[in-house]
Amino acid sequence: MGVRFRTALGDVSPYQAGRGGGEGTDHPDGAEKALLAQNEGAFGPVAAAQRAIQEEAAQGHRYPESGFAGLKREIAAYHGIPADNVFPAAGSCAVFHYLSLCLLDPGDEVLFCSPTFGAYGLEARKMGAVPVSVPLDADGAYDPAALLGAVSDRTKIVYVANPNNPTGGLVLRAALSAFLDAVPGHVLTVIDEAYFDYVDDPAYPDAIAEFFSDERPVAVTRTFSKIFGLAGLRVGYGVLPADIARKLAKVQMPFEVNRFALAAATATLRADPAEIRRRREATAAGRLRLVGELGAAGFAPLPASANFVQIRVGDAAAVAHDLAERGILVRPLGSWGQPDSIRVTVGTVEETTRFLDAFRSVMATGTPS
Ligand SMILES: *Cc1c(COP(=O)(O)O)cnc(C)c1O
């Protein structure tokens, strides 16, 4: 074929998702699969969001609000910041994409710790930029000192996943503050807080409340995909300096956030905060139970802070395969460079019970097939 693709695409492979509901949720034995491979919230959309989605159905032939002014106002009020600092998009991955499109020329560097969320490196490679990674610290958290040591003249973006996926490690308040004071002014720091509402450590900072300012090259991303239960609708946002938000608006797809997502996100932000607290507490209980029972079974999960736990199991691909045969989907971490580990999402109480039973049975059969 004679068409000439961009050189950068040679280094790009499509985003690799974990196994999930898209492949069907019924297990051959009739039980529903436990979907613990993608860190989706265990609880569905809040009731008000479900109603909002239904109420929008009759307007499905109408484009959503251009520029998303209504959702911007809701998010701005939720955080107590100006609406000009809010950039809604089809998930936080879309925010990473548009930041990359606005900032990265070929040969520029994008810095993060490894292993981490795949989108950071993927979005860099799409632009012909160079992903540069330094190791996480021993607890599986981003290492601010290592990041600072790797910043160069070509660095345009530094990501800080807090907590990190897949390990769950946290950068605490003092360390993040010192990092932001030290990072050179030509670098945009993107703090990814996809799991913010799950974390209950008092030393964990709210980067929007504590570090965001219109004058500082800092962007914070949040998503409706996790605790808010809207992963299937694709909506998230960045909180960033107004000048950067205006640049992102230049490259965003028109009407990118659909009217169902806009309505559901708005209803979710207005919902009773007690429901989100209940989800945080239920998830923390499930996380503690997983860590405790896995520890008692002789495994040592990494310190966990969100709705997932990383565990060393030996041959992770085989363990994930054997769990899938029992109707439990988890994420083997081979494609993240950790072929000996799986990541399991904290689901409902029933799902956690099913996972633990299946896991003990798989591990007891010796080297899994
Ligand atoms: C799940 C996740 C996201 C969310 O991505 P969306 O595009 O908003 O669904 C962002 N960052 C990390 C680290 C995640 O694990």
Side-chain angles (χ1 to χ4, degrees):
M1 204 165 56
V3 297
R4 289 180 257 174
F5 292 101
R6 287 172 50 236
T7 316
L9 281 195
D11 294 326
V12 176
S13 351
Y15 178 78
Q16 278 198 341
R19 295 180 64 184
E23 59 184 80
T25 54
D26 285 341
H27 190 60
D29 69 7
E32 254 191 33
K33 283 182 198 163
L35 305 180
L36 307 178
Q38 300 203 97
N39 290 354
E40 295 146 328
F43 310 98
V46 301
Q50 298 195 27
R51 279 196 303 277
I53 293 165
Q54 278 160 3
E55 282 162 16
E56 282 301 296
Q59 298 299 320
H61 59 312
R62 299 296 179 196
Y63 284 113
E65 183 181 21
S66 177
F68 323 123
L71 181 59
K72 278 187 191 170
R73 274 197 306 274
E74 291 293 332
I75 294 168
Y78 184 80
H79 291 296
I81 56 171
D84 289 349
N85 296 119
V86 180
F87 178 78
S92 19
C93 288
V95 181
F96 308 145
H97 173 71
Y98 293 126
L99 285 170
S100 301
L101 200 52
C102 287
L103 290 171
L104 301 178
D105 285 314
D108 285 342
E109 292 175 1
V110 173
L111 182 57
F112 45 85
C113 286
S114 181
T116 194
F117 192 47
Y120 312 149
L122 173 60
E123 293 303 332
R125 284 190 297 274
K126 284 184 190 173
M127 300 307 299
V130 182
V132 176
S133 65
V134 292
L136 296 168
D137 73 14
D139 287 334
Y142 263 58
D143 182 340
L147 287 172
L148 279 178
V151 170
S152 81
D153 284 347
R154 305 283 333 235
T155 308
K156 288 273 187 75
I157 299 175
V158 177
Y159 285 96
V160 178
N162 200 27
N164 186 44
N165 175 10
T167 51
L170 293 178
V171 182
L172 300 181
R173 177 169 291 111
L176 188 56
S177 176
F179 173 80
L180 293 173
D181 287 343
V183 71
H186 68 278
V187 177
L188 176 70
T189 300
V190 179
I191 303 172
D192 179 352
E193 295 186 335
Y195 300 96
F196 176 83
D197 290 280
Y198 288 113
V199 182
D200 47 19
D201 185 332
Y204 171 69
D206 173 343
I208 296 175
E210 299 177 45
F211 302 124
F212 173 72
S213 113
D214 220 17
E215 276 77 52
R216 205 168 195 185
V218 171
V220 185
T221 58
R222 296 278 182 95
T223 183
F224 289 93
S225 297
K226 303 287 158 62
I227 204 164
F228 296 127
L230 298 176
L233 275 72
R234 312 301 302 123
V235 53
Y237 56 97
V239 170
L240 21 76
D243 180 47
I244 298 181
R246 281 189 292 272
K247 297 287 195 304
L248 297 181
K250 292 185 183 195
V251 297
Q252 187 170 33
M253 299 294 289
F255 307 112
E256 171 176 287
V257 185
N258 71 67
R259 61 166 56 246
F260 304 98
L262 291 173
T266 298
T268 301
L269 291 178
R270 290 181 186 171
D272 186 352
E275 167 59 16
I276 302 307
R277 203 176 323 122
R278 195 184 64 74
R279 293 176 175 204
R280 172 167 46 247
E281 286 165 6
T283 305
R287 186 171 70 222
L288 273 174
R289 179 175 167 216
L290 273 173
V291 168
E293 295 199 26
L294 289 165
F299 298 88
L302 287 182
S305 60
N307 68 333
F308 56 90
V309 177
Q310 179 174 325
I311 317 151
R312 275 242 303 267
V313 295
D315 184 346
V319 170
H321 171 269
D322 286 9
L323 288 169
E325 300 246 287
R326 290 162 167 82
I328 315 285
L329 302 186
V330 302
R331 190 83 195 255
L333 299 179
S335 62
W336 311 50
Q338 296 178 292
D340 65 350
S341 296
I342 61 169
R343 187 197 65 199
V344 55
T345 304
V346 180
T348 60
V349 173
E350 297 72 39
E351 287 170 329
T352 299
T353 302
R354 282 177 63 196
F355 164 75
L356 285 167
D357 289 348
F359 182 76
R360 280 185 284 253
S361 138
V362 164
M363 301 313 288
T365 61
T367 311
S369 60

